[in-house]
Amino acid sequence: MCKNHRNIKKIIQAQLCTGCSTCYSFCPQGCIDIVESGRGIFQPVIDEMKCRNCGICVMVCGNNEFFHQNDFHHTDQRFIGLVRNCYAGYSNCDEIRMNSSSGGLITQLSIFCLENKIVDGVICVDKTAENPARFEARICKTTDQVRTSRKSKYIPVPLNRILKDIVNEREYNRYLFIGLPCHLKGLNNAANFYKTLNEKIILKFGIFCSHTPTIAGTDFLIHQCPTQKRIKDIFYRDQGWKNTFIIQNEAGEVVKYDNYWGKYFGLNFFTPKYCFFCDDLFARECDLSFGDAWLEEYKADKKGVSLIISRSSLGENLLHRSFQADKVSVNNIGIEKIVESQREYYYFKFSMLNDRRNKLLKIRQSGKSYLPISIYNSIMILHAQLSEYRFFILFLKIVPDVFFKGYVKLIRRLLSFFMRKIYQNIAGDKDGHNNCYNF
Ligand SMILES: Cc1cc2nc3c(=O)[nH]c(=O)nc-3n(C[C@H](O)[C@H](O)[C@H](O)COP(=O)(O)OP(=O)(O)OC[C@H]3O[C@@H](n4cnc5c(N)ncnc54)[C@H](O)[C@@H]3O)c2cc1C
């Protein structure tokens, strides 16, 4: 824990706060509120008059260790976390598979947990009542509710606000928690101190996460899908696992916008600063972690395939039971396949973090950073910083698509050139292939 600071002000000021909202749930004075900030992220606001500097918000904060870490050079194992087994698979129900993010395993296993009374509720995210383009935590107690909250939402969600209700809830006692690495960090920190929380969250599903684009990112995508009528729903993926942003309006009309990830989010436009400090791609702190199977062998699959890292006997058991019940199909794969599927982000999050950290915190480096890493990081940080400005977002809105596509093509070429150099430098592979995992 950060001992010098008795509340999370310094974490907020350093732009390290991910808005997970764990501090909101555990502040004994109730003096923390979570608000949508001008930068398109959720941030705590502390009522200084009420704050007694008890330090609990710092204690439960997922990023509280950050100020004590000088070096992020982990080993591969430390970066990936505990691994029991790895799988590729999907839900055997086509309706679930086609309407989830990739293989529909999270939705299918959540439904299995409810139907078999393994848990009383599933904590996940769904749209808010006021605005279909904003999302909040939901406790699903029926399988229909789980179905409604499926699919990835590439937008910040103050998920851990719900922990306050979970701790105070009397009737229901066993929950499955589904969250991103930053949500899990806050949850696990809090569970170390609050026994009730530890006892109630009996199962945790983690979602692989390269980064979570800001709220401004979603608003930008909505602008790219003009519609005359009020928006009823937004989706970040089409049927199967196609990377298409979709708006459904109240008249039942649908407007689509293709390949937004490749053009904007993948190049770190609309990335919040805190994501540049994160070192957890694979959601280390949970029972089962899930991601997309971006592998050559599944490219032709139109329905969607997910990857799983099973990390505990609980997780392994659940998978085994649902497989026996014919609810899911899973194949054993090696950890190197998981890494291969996330290769670019693996290097970006893992090997390039120290350089980014030094750049963003303006730390003077003792030795020079490897040049391709430094250039790659600078381009990504520049994209993120530019998209914090309204004038730049306006520019993105009016710039002709063909011109922007040209820029994307060029910058992607440049970035892959640097990434190849980085693979060669780190993996020592002349062809730029990744072969550096030491398990
Ligand atoms: C911000 C973000 C970044 C991601 N980055 C990567 C990546 O780099 N590499 C990769 O392989 N996969 C990534 N994923 C995960 C991927 O999109 C799929 O969620 C994953 O493969 C599981 O697929 P599924 O079909 O089993 O999920 P589904 O069955 O559709 O279930 C998805 C679950 O995730 C919950 N959820 C959705 N959005 C959020 C959110 N913002 N915060 C918390 N919970 C949420 C839903 O409520 C639902 O329970 C990311 C997901 C998100 C939300």
Side-chain angles (χ1 to χ4, degrees):
M1 173 185 132
C2 174
K3 297 190 182 69
N4 304 329
H5 302 281
R6 304 296 294 167
N7 75 32
I8 42 165
K9 234 159 75 185
K10 185 164 180 195
I11 293 168
I12 301 168
Q13 278 162 2
Q15 295 185 42
L16 286 168
C17 171
T18 63
C20 76
S21 304
T22 317
C23 54
Y24 160 89
S25 286
F26 294 96
C27 172
Q29 305 305 319
C31 67
I32 296 180
D33 198 8
I34 304 293
V35 298
E36 191 180 313
S37 87
R39 291 203 313 278
I41 50 177
F42 287 98
Q43 292 288 271
V45 174
I46 305 163
D47 182 342
E48 298 283 354
M49 300 295 277
K50 277 209 251 166
C51 176
R52 296 211 177 144
N53 278 310
C54 65
I56 288 177
C57 56
V58 185
M59 222 165 70
V60 298
C61 173
N63 266 347
N64 71 14
E65 294 291 339
F66 191 84
F67 290 104
H68 298 294
Q69 271 171 290
N70 296 322
D71 198 327
F72 287 91
H73 280 134
H74 301 317
T75 58
D76 292 282
Q77 285 98 329
R78 160 82 184 82
F79 182 71
I80 293 168
L82 201 75
V83 178
R84 286 176 81 99
N85 274 304
C86 299
Y87 305 93
Y90 47 81
S91 160
N92 287 346
C93 166
D94 265 4
E95 190 278 327
I96 292 180
R97 193 172 168 197
M98 291 301 284
N99 292 292
S100 304
S101 298
S102 45
L105 283 173
I106 296 187
T107 303
Q108 182 66 74
L109 292 171
S110 305
I111 290 175
F112 185 81
C113 286
L114 280 177
E115 284 178 344
N116 290 281
K117 304 204 180 329
I118 297 168
V119 298
D120 304 315
V122 176
I123 301 164
C124 51
V125 307
D126 202 359
K127 63 181 177 190
T128 62
E130 307 79 45
N131 185 347
R134 300 288 183 270
F135 297 86
E136 63 187 4
R138 188 75 82 244
I139 303 176
C140 301
K141 294 194 174 135
T142 68
T143 56
D144 278 349
Q145 288 170 335
V146 171
R147 280 188 157 85
T148 314
S149 58
R150 59 193 159 180
K151 277 192 188 287
S152 294
K153 286 94 185 171
Y154 299 120
I155 187 168
V157 181
L159 183 62
N160 291 3
R161 284 181 83 121
I162 204 76
L163 300 182
K164 192 173 195 161
D165 300 343
I166 298 293
V167 171
N168 295 327
E169 165 77 56
R170 293 191 181 275
E171 203 182 332
Y172 299 98
N173 282 314
R174 296 163 309 152
Y175 294 92
L176 158 63
F177 181 95
I178 303 166
L180 296 171
C182 47
H183 299 131
L184 286 163
K185 267 187 203 162
L187 165 70
N188 287 325
N189 270 7
N192 283 336
F193 297 102
Y194 295 92
K195 199 169 150 240
T196 336
L197 184 66
N198 200 18
E199 286 166 359
K200 286 192 173 183
I201 309 276
I202 60 162
L203 208 51
K204 288 173 264 187
F205 288 177
I207 303 171
F208 292 8
C209 183
S210 57
H211 62 280
T212 306
T214 60
I215 297 165
T218 290
D219 289 344
F220 173 74
L221 295 181
I222 290 174
H223 172 272
Q224 305 296 88
C225 298
T227 170
Q228 302 299 321
K229 305 265 166 28
R230 264 170 62 114
I231 296 172
K232 187 170 160 252
D233 271 313
I234 64 165
F235 303 101
Y236 295 81
R237 289 205 181 176
D238 207 342
Q239 291 259 307
W241 51 345
K242 199 165 171 229
N243 169 220
T244 302
F245 184 74
I246 302 176
I247 283 186
Q248 236 170 41
N249 69 21
E250 282 186 335
E253 291 155 352
V254 169
V255 193
K256 298 187 178 186
Y257 185 66
D258 271 335
N259 192 25
Y260 64 91
W261 195 275
K263 263 197 272 180
Y264 302 104
F265 293 176
L267 290 174
N268 280 297
F269 289 108
F270 304 104
T271 298
K273 191 171 170 190
Y274 54 74
C275 287
F276 284 117
F277 291 118
C278 170
D279 70 342
D280 191 359
L281 169 62
F282 294 115
R284 287 189 290 259
E285 303 180 20
C286 62
D287 298 289
L288 295 172
S289 310
F290 300 84
D292 296 331
W294 297 324
L295 289 163
E296 213 42 54
E297 49 268 47
Y298 302 119
K299 257 192 180 158
D301 190 310
K302 297 284 174 252
K303 293 183 182 172
V305 184
S306 298
L307 298 173
I308 314 177
I309 304 179
S310 98
R311 302 183 184 278
S312 71
S313 54
L314 260 176
E316 192 67 33
N317 242 331
L318 175 65
L319 265 182
H320 188 71
R321 278 182 66 183
S322 51
F323 179 77
Q324 295 279 314
D326 202 23
K327 299 290 180 193
V328 301
S329 297
V330 285
N331 287 325
N332 252 105
I333 54 168
I335 182 68
E336 68 288 348
K337 277 283 166 195
I338 303 259
V339 177
E340 188 186 322
S341 80
Q342 315 283 317
R343 186 161 85 139
E344 199 172 318
Y345 288 129
Y346 183 85
Y347 280 90
F348 186 66
K349 288 237 145 196
F350 176 27
S351 316
M352 299 162 76
L353 177 59
N354 254 344
D355 171 77
R356 248 183 342 267
R357 177 180 177 274
N358 294 342
K359 273 194 169 54
L360 286 162
L361 297 179
K362 300 195 169 44
I363 296 171
R364 272 174 174 269
Q365 287 155 269
S366 42
K368 273 213 163 156
S369 173
Y370 181 54
L371 195 62
I373 288 185
S374 184
I375 298 175
Y376 195 103
N377 271 333
S378 301
I379 294 173
M380 293 309 200
I381 291 170
L382 178 73
H383 285 170
Q385 283 178 339
L386 280 174
S387 43
E388 280 189 10
Y389 296 108
R390 288 221 178 112
F391 78 84
F392 183 74
I393 297 177
L394 193 68
F395 166 76
L396 281 187
K397 283 178 183 172
I398 58 175
V399 68
D401 215 36
V402 54
F403 176 77
F404 193 69
K405 265 189 190 158
Y407 172 74
V408 169
K409 222 172 164 179
L410 187 79
I411 209 77
R412 282 222 164 269
R413 280 219 179 130
L414 203 67
L415 289 172
S416 9
F417 170 77
F418 288 123
M419 196 44 107
R420 256 199 321 276
K421 292 269 160 220
I422 295 164
Y423 295 151
Q424 283 166 2
N425 179 262
I426 295 165
D429 185 328
K430 284 193 196 69
D431 303 326
H433 294 309
N434 170 18
N435 63 356
C436 74
Y437 329 114
N438 309 305
F439 296 102

